[in-house]
Amino acid sequence: MPARLKKIPLTIFQRFFRTETLGGLVLLGFGLAALAIANSPLSEAYNHLWEIPLTLGIVPHELSLSLHEWINDGLMAVFFLLVGLEIKRELLAGELSSAQQAALPIACAIGGMVMPSVIYLIFNFRGQGAHGWGIPMATDIAFALGALNLIAPRAPIGAKVLLTALAIVDDMGAVLVISLFYSQGIVWSTLGGAAVTLFVLIGFNLIGIRRLWPYLLVGVVLWCFVHASGVHATIAGVALAFTIPIVLTSKGQQETVFAPERASGGVTAPGLRLEHALHNFSAFVVMPLFAFANAGVKIDLSLQHAEIGFGIVAGLVFGKPLGIMMFALIAVKTGIARLPQAVNWRSLLGYGFLAGIGFTMSLFIAMLAFDDMASVNAAKRGIIAGSFLAGVAGAVMLRTGRPLRDVN
């Protein structure tokens, strides 16, 4: 009788990578479906669908938004809650928890945000297109990791961790950009209510509340205040995430929380439990719905606001890898950081191209940046074209040619 093989449990990063990879494929499918429908005889029905109003609440305290707004403001707040939890975990006990670990991803992310914006502004220094400078900054973590798994399934673990950490730091930058530059018409009295609600959540943390439901219940109130204040409602998700306790000091504790035979409600890591619960919902419900609602754009040869599209393509395809390589080289040469094991400069350039797949967050920022549909559609075309070309360039770089000599 053959010996029974012991099942080796997946680490938290392996689970994360697997979910993001599969989620990226689902996201691609919904994005392509939206594109196909928007360029078919069903396009009018597709556009009308997202304008259907949906009202929630009790009179007179009710909120009526279109289906499109509920997805972009409501469901995307769940995505940003997950982003906030991931950022907090990485800062406390993950790949960003020490200066040595964090130095390279932070350097790469900063370069990958600065250079695309600079290149975009070369095309759009004046005019209404200038407000879209934040669009090519973003990296779609699900698409990027999904592409990496398809293109280079045997890529070293250090490369996968680097690309993941880079994308998470990139998300931090995107959150800051949205909150500081893409929030308009702030109602200070309502924002004050949001601040009071946030203090209540912080108080929950300080007095040691470990159950999730008080945080989530008050989090809904926080979302309502933020939505009414003029600051984009998704910021409420990030703010809520940073108030939920994550009682961890090491990666080993993370593994213990997620181990099937040990995980229980008694483990004092509510932030990790919530992140674990939201991951599949975000990857397979929120993001595909967002892509289906927002990726539908008519493909034509219109040159209206072409500078917006060209700026985004150039930012994603050239700005991302250029910024990542420049800042990584500075960090390594100055001794602040070092390249991961089995990662050389050529492969890092390939990962830099993959980071130029901006899709989800880029689409999100585009709709905050512009009010008129002509500019939004020009941005969408640029995002789709730029993300596709960046993915192709990454595939070519990672699968062909001889590796460059590692200068680390």
Side-chain angles (χ1 to χ4, degrees):
M1 182 177 177
R4 294 179 62 185
L5 296 176
K6 183 179 178 181
K7 186 177 181 180
I8 301 174
L10 295 174
T11 68
I12 185 173
F13 176 76
Q14 288 171 324
R15 274 188 296 269
F16 177 88
F17 186 78
R18 179 173 292 182
T19 300
E20 293 298 324
T21 297
L22 184 55
L25 296 176
V26 174
L27 193 61
L28 176 62
F30 275 78
L32 291 175
L35 270 177
I37 293 173
N39 290 275
S40 75
L42 297 174
S43 60
E44 187 175 344
Y46 169 85
N47 292 324
H48 177 70
L49 171 66
W50 308 117
E51 299 307 317
I52 295 175
L54 180 62
T55 302
L56 295 180
I58 303 173
V59 178
H61 304 289
E62 60 183 13
L63 181 61
S64 182
L65 300 173
S66 68
L67 190 56
H68 188 265
E69 289 172 324
W70 276 116
I71 291 172
N72 286 11
D73 293 2
L75 278 181
M76 283 299 284
V78 176
F79 168 72
F80 275 82
L81 171 58
L82 178 62
V83 167
L85 291 169
E86 290 172 349
I87 291 171
K88 185 174 183 179
R89 170 172 53 79
E90 292 298 318
L91 289 172
L92 290 178
E95 300 305 323
L96 306 177
S97 59
S98 71
Q100 184 177 13
Q101 287 177 302
L104 186 61
I106 290 176
C108 290
I110 292 173
M113 289 186 284
V114 171
M115 287 305 299
S117 299
V118 170
I119 290 178
Y120 175 87
L121 286 173
I122 292 174
F123 289 83
N124 297 273
F125 189 71
R126 292 176 181 169
Q128 68 181 59
H131 197 50
W133 60 269
I135 298 172
M137 288 175 51
T139 294
D140 189 311
I141 189 170
F143 259 145
L145 292 182
L148 177 60
N149 194 46
L150 290 174
I151 295 166
R154 296 185 179 180
I157 188 67
K160 297 176 180 179
V161 171
L162 172 62
L163 185 57
T164 302
L166 185 160
I168 289 173
V169 177
D170 194 291
D171 282 342
M172 292 189 211
V175 169
L176 287 174
V177 166
I178 291 170
S179 61
L180 293 176
F181 301 102
Y182 293 107
S183 296
Q184 301 173 349
I186 295 177
V187 181
W188 292 102
S189 58
T190 313
L191 190 61
V196 171
T197 309
L198 185 60
F199 281 124
V200 171
L201 288 164
I202 293 172
F204 286 172
N205 190 313
L206 293 177
I207 65 177
I209 293 179
R210 293 292 178 262
R211 294 186 179 275
L212 280 171
W213 69 263
Y215 293 95
L216 299 180
L217 185 62
V218 178
V220 173
V221 177
L222 175 64
W223 181 89
C224 291
F225 273 124
V226 174
H227 181 270
S229 72
V231 176
H232 200 272
T234 52
I235 300 302
V238 179
L240 172 61
F242 275 80
T243 66
I244 297 175
I246 297 182
V247 188
L248 292 173
T249 59
S250 69
K251 294 179 187 177
Q253 288 190 6
Q254 294 185 50
E255 303 303 336
T256 300
V257 169
F258 284 127
E261 66 277 13
R262 297 184 184 179
S264 70
V267 179
T268 52
L272 278 179
R273 295 201 306 274
L274 180 60
E275 181 186 341
H276 185 57
L278 289 179
H279 218 121
N280 286 340
F281 180 70
S282 176
F284 302 117
V285 178
V286 176
M287 303 313 295
L289 269 177
F290 175 83
F292 191 62
N294 293 284
V297 57
K298 191 170 287 294
I299 304 298
D300 55 38
L301 300 178
S302 171
L303 293 178
Q304 186 177 18
H305 302 304
E307 69 281 0
I308 294 176
F310 287 137
I312 292 171
V313 170
L316 291 174
V317 178
F318 301 109
K320 269 288 183 182
L322 178 61
I324 287 171
M325 291 297 289
M326 284 177 58
F327 279 62
L329 186 61
I330 293 171
V332 170
K333 288 299 185 180
T334 57
I336 297 173
R338 62 179 182 178
L339 293 181
Q341 187 176 4
V343 174
N344 57 35
W345 291 103
R346 182 187 182 91
S347 61
L348 181 62
L349 180 58
Y351 305 133
F353 277 116
L354 293 185
I357 303 175
F359 198 69
T360 304
M361 195 70 81
S362 293
L363 286 173
F364 189 74
I365 296 175
M367 286 177 292
L368 298 179
F370 303 120
D371 295 325
D372 64 297
M373 284 309 300
S375 297
V376 172
N377 286 334
K380 286 183 178 181
R381 286 191 286 267
I383 292 165
I384 292 169
S387 296
F388 174 76
L389 291 174
V392 170
V396 171
M397 186 61 61
L398 290 173
R399 294 186 66 89
T400 62
R402 296 174 59 186
L404 299 181
R405 185 174 61 89
D406 191 340
V407 298
N408 184 26

